[in-house]
Amino acid sequence: MDPDTVRGDGGDVYWRRRMSVLVAVLVVVAVVAWACSSGGSGPERASSAETSPSATPTVDPLLAGLRTLAMGTASPSPTPSASPKATPAARPKRPGEPCAQGDLVLSLQAGKEQIYSAGARPTFMVTLVNTGSVMCTADVGPRALEIRITSGADRIWSTADCVSGEGTDVRELQRGVPFVRTLEWDRRRSSTDCRSTPASALPGTYVVTARMGDMRTPKGVFHLR
C-alpha cells in the first residue's frame, strides 16, 4: 500500500474528528446561551407583573371569607324579618263580668241651689252608666265610688272616710240603665280619725267631684253661707 495514501486518509479522519468536536462545542454553547436567556426573562416578566398597577391578582372567595372572619370584620348576616303575627280576636264579653272602665260613664249633678243659706244641706246626685254590650258588675261602695268636697287645697269631706264594714257594694249594671246615688252633706268635715266629733264647715266656696278609678267628673262649685 502507498504510504502517502495512508497518510492522506489518516489526515482526513483527523480533520473530520476535529470538526465534529467543534460542532458539538458550538451546540453546547448555543443551548447554554438559550437556557440563560429564557431563565432570565422569566423572573423579569414575573417581577413586572407583580409591580404593574394594572395587574389584578386572582382571589379565592373561600380564602377571602375565612381571612375576613379571622380578622373579625365579617359583615353580619341579615336577620330574617319576623313575619307579622295575626292579632287574636278579642274574646266576647260574658254577662256578669267586671265592667271595663272604658265602658263606664260617670257624671255628677249638684242640687238646684248653688248658694246654700245657713242650715241648708247641699245635695248631690251621682250616675254611673254601662255602655258595654252586655251586663257587667261594678263596686259602687263609698270607697270605690268616692264623692269628695274640697276648698282650695283643703280636703273637707269624703265618702271614703270613716266607712264601717268592708265598704263594698257590687251592683249589676245593665247596658244603658244608669245607677243613681243621691247624697246629702251635713256640712261637717270628715277625717280618718272617726273617734273625734267633726267640725262644721265654714261659710265659703266649695268644690265637689266624683271619682272612680281613673275617672273624674267635672268640678261642681257651690257656696255656703
Side-chain angles (χ1 to χ4, degrees):
M1 182 177 293
D2 189 356
D4 294 335
T5 303
V6 172
R7 286 195 300 269
D9 294 337
D12 292 339
V13 171
Y14 171 78
W15 286 109
R16 288 192 189 99
R17 290 178 179 176
R18 294 293 299 272
M19 290 298 296
S20 298
V21 171
L22 180 60
V23 169
V25 169
L26 291 175
V27 169
V28 171
V29 171
V31 170
V32 171
W34 176 83
C36 292
S37 62
S38 299
S41 61
E44 290 178 0
R45 288 195 298 271
S47 176
S48 62
E50 291 176 357
T51 57
S52 174
S54 60
T56 304
T58 302
V59 180
D60 190 339
L62 179 58
L63 293 178
L66 294 175
R67 188 181 300 108
T68 304
L69 288 174
M71 296 174 63
T73 58
S75 58
S77 302
T79 303
S81 58
S83 57
K85 297 181 180 180
T87 302
R91 180 181 63 83
K93 296 180 180 180
R94 298 175 182 175
E97 291 184 342
C99 299
Q101 185 169 289
D103 293 337
L104 298 177
V105 177
L106 180 65
S107 60
L108 171 68
Q109 295 179 356
K112 295 181 179 179
E113 297 183 50
Q114 299 298 322
I115 301 176
Y116 296 91
S117 58
R121 294 185 174 184
T123 58
F124 314 106
M125 184 173 66
V126 180
T127 59
L128 183 66
V129 181
N130 169 28
T131 61
S133 58
V134 296
M135 180 271 291
C136 61
T137 58
D139 181 7
V140 295
R143 290 193 181 97
L145 178 54
E146 178 193 10
I147 299 175
R148 183 181 297 184
I149 298 175
T150 58
S151 179
D154 190 6
R155 183 176 181 272
I156 303 298
W157 180 82
S158 171
T159 57
D161 294 337
C162 299
V163 177
S164 59
E166 295 182 357
T168 58
D169 184 9
V170 178
R171 298 291 184 95
E172 294 182 353
L173 302 180
Q174 300 293 337
R175 183 177 185 273
V177 179
F179 165 80
V180 180
R181 172 168 289 166
T182 303
L183 294 176
E184 183 181 82
W185 181 37
D186 62 1
R187 298 177 65 135
R188 289 186 176 273
R189 299 176 67 100
S190 66
S191 66
T192 56
D193 184 8
C194 303
R195 294 173 298 178
S196 61
T197 301
S200 298
L202 300 175
T205 301
Y206 295 86
V207 173
V208 59
T209 56
R211 304 163 177 243
M212 185 174 188
D214 295 332
M215 294 185 294
R216 302 287 186 274
T217 62
K219 297 177 180 179
V221 180
F222 61 96
H223 307 274
L224 296 182
R225 290 184 174 176

